[in-house]
Amino acid sequence: MKAPSFDTSADVIVVGAGPAGATAATYLARAGIDVLLLEKSTFPREKVCGDGLTPRGVKQVLALGIDVSGDDWVKNKGLRVVGGGVSLELDWPDLTSYPPFGLVRTRRDFDEMLADLAVKAGARMRQATNVSSPIIDERTGRIIGVTAKTPEGPTNFHAPLVIAADGVSARVAIGMGIDKREDRPMGVAVRRYYRSDVRTHDDYLESHLELWDRSDPAKPMLMPGYGWIFGLGDGTVNVGLGVLNSSKAFGRTDYRALLKTWMEGTPEEWGLREETAIGTTLGAALPMGFNRTPHYRNGLLLIGDAGGAVNPFNGEGIAYAMESAALAADAVLQGLGRPEGPAREHALAGYPAAMSDHLGSYYRLGNVFSKLIGQPKIMAAATKLGLPRKQLMYLVLKVLAGLYDTRDGDWADKVTVALTKVVPRV
Ligand SMILES: Cc1cc2nc3c(=O)[nH]c(=O)nc-3n(C[C@H](O)[C@H](O)[C@H](O)COP(=O)(O)OP(=O)(O)OC[C@H]3O[C@@H](n4cnc5c(N)ncnc54)[C@H](O)[C@@H]3O)c2cc1C
């Protein structure tokens, strides 16, 4: 291995410059920590996503001090839920904890903007740097760096702490022996862009609850998941669908075909047809409900998708990637402020504890929910009974989008908090 022309050691290495990694790197660099941010691709790059931020995601964007008043951001005021012949517009709730609006911005723009922010804060980002494995101290079992393929050849990077923000592939965690938990839900989602003057401007994020798999016409199956149409305000829309692994049909369904069939059934005037499609349908897995733990072990912190942080109720992941990044950055700052050894480890153990306090009971409820709706009869009954009842849907919105005040909230907040408390630990 030839010596590289750049400095390969740092206080902290962050692997992956998606929303999780860029956020963690920003907070750490702003606090004066020397951070190396290693990213396998080169910005701007595409990321398969719905491009939608609920108020939970917006809160994280605002927390970084990002100005969202410009034309780059498409604001929305709520969620339109469509299903069972009903279309219901639910405004985002008015809460102390979250802003009352959501945003849409392509991940091509959004991720580059976040990575730039990390660099402006002082993080040293190295793009085209594909991390292949952790470097482990044989004596202690701790991670002490990573090996990566770089334009200058294979390179070793060293730091006493590593944050894995490498998304669902979770290569670093796997290299450290932290495997996926099979008892937690997993989803699959696909998306495609279309040109549509009719649907590109929308004050609401639109979700369609009835996804029918009609590949066997004799046995149409209601899928546990939903489809979305998010207007990007520039003449295009992001359309996609996500399905949970809790149903029998999971893995046997052609999701791209499902999206195509759904699009063909939408009104002609929306223009969502093969001729207006931009590019192909792309898909990826959604690691949910903390499906990779522990979130800290032997010098390695897992954040975002690498730690299975996607919300099992709605498949939203950006907000939780950024929330976990903020919590991890805090624990790292506390850890680096103490001497190496038990004192530092004590502070770092604060990260999984904070994740558990912050999302543990809510995700446990979500994991139960994902199992229930995997049964087509329950999914059908929930759609039929719930949608026509606006008060009930107001509660459902709060639960599904994680938008509730834990203190001094309204009746729906109190019901949500109570629900999270009754789910047993597993
Ligand atoms: C089809 C689809 C639609 C979705 N829609 C939404 C939505 O509308 N709203 C929402 O909130 N969430 C959505 N999600 C989930 C969301 O995309 C993820 O939860 C989110 O991107 C997680 O952020 P992250 O930073 O943890 O991981 P990622 O965004 O995956 O970022 C990981 C980064 O690490 C880099 N990387 C990976 N491996 C390596 C390596 N070995 N070395 C160096 N770098 C590496 C990658 O290039 C990438 O830049 C959707 C997901 C899918 C699949």
Side-chain angles (χ1 to χ4, degrees):
M1 209 176 270
K2 151 168 139 261
S5 60
F6 48 86
D7 187 358
T8 54
S9 58
D11 296 329
V12 179
I13 290 172
V14 179
V15 181
T23 302
T26 301
Y27 284 128
L28 290 170
R30 280 181 183 169
I33 302 296
D34 180 19
V35 184
L36 257 173
L37 178 57
L38 309 180
E39 167 57 47
K40 76 172 176 194
S41 55
T42 304
F43 291 106
R45 57 114 177 84
E46 260 199 84
K47 159 76 179 88
V48 185
C49 187
D51 304 329
L53 291 172
T54 69
R56 209 160 164 139
V58 179
K59 178 180 172 127
Q60 293 308 309
V61 172
L62 297 178
L64 283 168
I66 295 166
D67 176 9
V68 298
S69 61
D71 292 344
D72 297 343
W73 302 94
V74 182
K75 272 200 180 132
N76 57 69
K77 58 182 181 187
L79 188 69
R80 183 181 307 109
V81 191
V82 183
V86 180
S87 171
L88 193 63
E89 284 177 356
L90 296 157
D91 286 354
W92 298 120
D94 184 13
L95 296 169
T96 309
S97 321
Y98 301 100
F101 64 97
L103 293 168
V104 177
R105 186 165 178 179
T106 65
R107 290 291 298 275
R108 190 179 156 84
D109 275 8
F110 183 72
D111 287 21
E112 184 177 33
M113 182 269 308
L114 280 186
D116 282 350
L117 197 70
V119 172
K120 275 192 204 110
R124 288 182 286 135
M125 177 161 68
R126 298 215 62 87
Q127 303 183 54
T129 298
N130 191 346
V131 171
S132 44
S133 58
I135 303 173
I136 303 171
D137 179 338
E138 273 179 25
R139 194 176 50 85
T140 59
R142 285 182 73 85
I143 188 166
I144 51 167
V146 293
T147 300
K149 288 182 210 113
T150 77
E152 296 191 20
T155 305
N156 287 338
F157 294 88
H158 286 98
L161 291 175
V162 177
I163 297 180
D166 47 353
V168 66
S169 65
R171 190 175 264 211
V172 183
I174 293 167
M176 287 286 286
I178 305 178
D179 293 324
K180 197 168 79 184
R181 292 184 57 152
E182 299 299 337
D183 60 339
R184 301 284 158 91
M186 193 78 182
V188 164
V190 294
R191 72 99 172 96
R192 197 174 194 189
Y193 292 109
Y194 287 84
R195 279 188 300 279
S196 170
D197 290 338
V198 177
R199 297 308 315 262
T200 192
H201 299 289
D202 196 342
D203 285 341
Y204 290 86
L205 293 179
E206 184 165 295
S207 69
H208 289 246
L209 293 191
E210 280 186 293
L211 287 180
W212 288 96
D213 179 5
R214 297 183 198 278
S215 47
D216 178 356
K219 272 196 219 153
M221 180 124 50
L222 184 60
M223 305 293 287
Y226 68 92
W228 67 82
I229 302 177
F230 295 167
L232 288 157
D234 62 351
T236 66
V237 290
N238 180 320
V239 171
L241 57 89
V243 177
L244 283 160
N245 68 348
S246 51
S247 79
K248 283 196 194 125
F250 188 82
R252 289 194 272 122
T253 307
D254 180 346
Y255 301 104
R256 286 173 175 79
L258 193 60
L259 183 66
K260 190 163 177 274
T261 314
W262 174 35
M263 286 304 100
E264 283 164 2
T266 56
E268 193 73 46
E269 62 273 20
W270 290 4
L272 304 174
R273 297 291 184 271
E274 203 50 41
E275 314 82 77
T276 56
I278 307 166
T280 53
T281 306
L282 297 174
L286 293 167
M288 299 174 158
F290 292 165
N291 85 336
R292 198 178 294 276
T293 55
H295 285 133
Y296 173 72
R297 187 156 81 197
N298 285 337
L300 180 71
L301 299 95
L302 312 186
I303 63 174
D305 279 14
V310 172
N311 182 340
F313 283 107
N314 65 356
E316 180 182 9
I318 301 169
Y320 303 94
M322 296 173 78
E323 287 175 25
S324 60
L327 295 174
D330 190 41
V332 166
L333 288 176
Q334 295 309 315
L336 290 176
R338 302 180 190 187
E340 247 178 83
R344 181 174 290 181
E345 289 310 295
H346 195 45
L348 292 167
Y351 170 57
M355 283 286 269
S356 175
D357 287 351
H358 185 54
L359 291 168
S361 55
Y362 175 61
Y363 275 14
R364 275 200 296 283
L365 184 65
N367 294 345
V368 172
F369 166 87
S370 73
K371 279 205 186 93
L372 286 176
I373 68 160
Q375 299 174 43
K377 277 193 186 137
I378 294 186
M379 176 78 189
T383 312
K384 195 165 155 230
L385 290 174
L387 269 170
R389 294 172 173 79
K390 196 156 186 175
Q391 281 293 83
L392 180 58
M393 285 309 288
Y394 174 66
L395 170 66
V396 170
L397 173 74
K398 290 199 158 201
V399 177
L400 264 54
L403 292 171
Y404 54 97
D405 279 329
T406 48
R407 200 179 268 257
D408 302 329
D410 67 4
W411 67 272
D413 296 338
K414 292 193 171 93
V415 172
T416 310
V417 172
L419 280 172
T420 63
K421 292 206 166 125
V422 296
V423 184
R425 278 178 184 275
V426 280

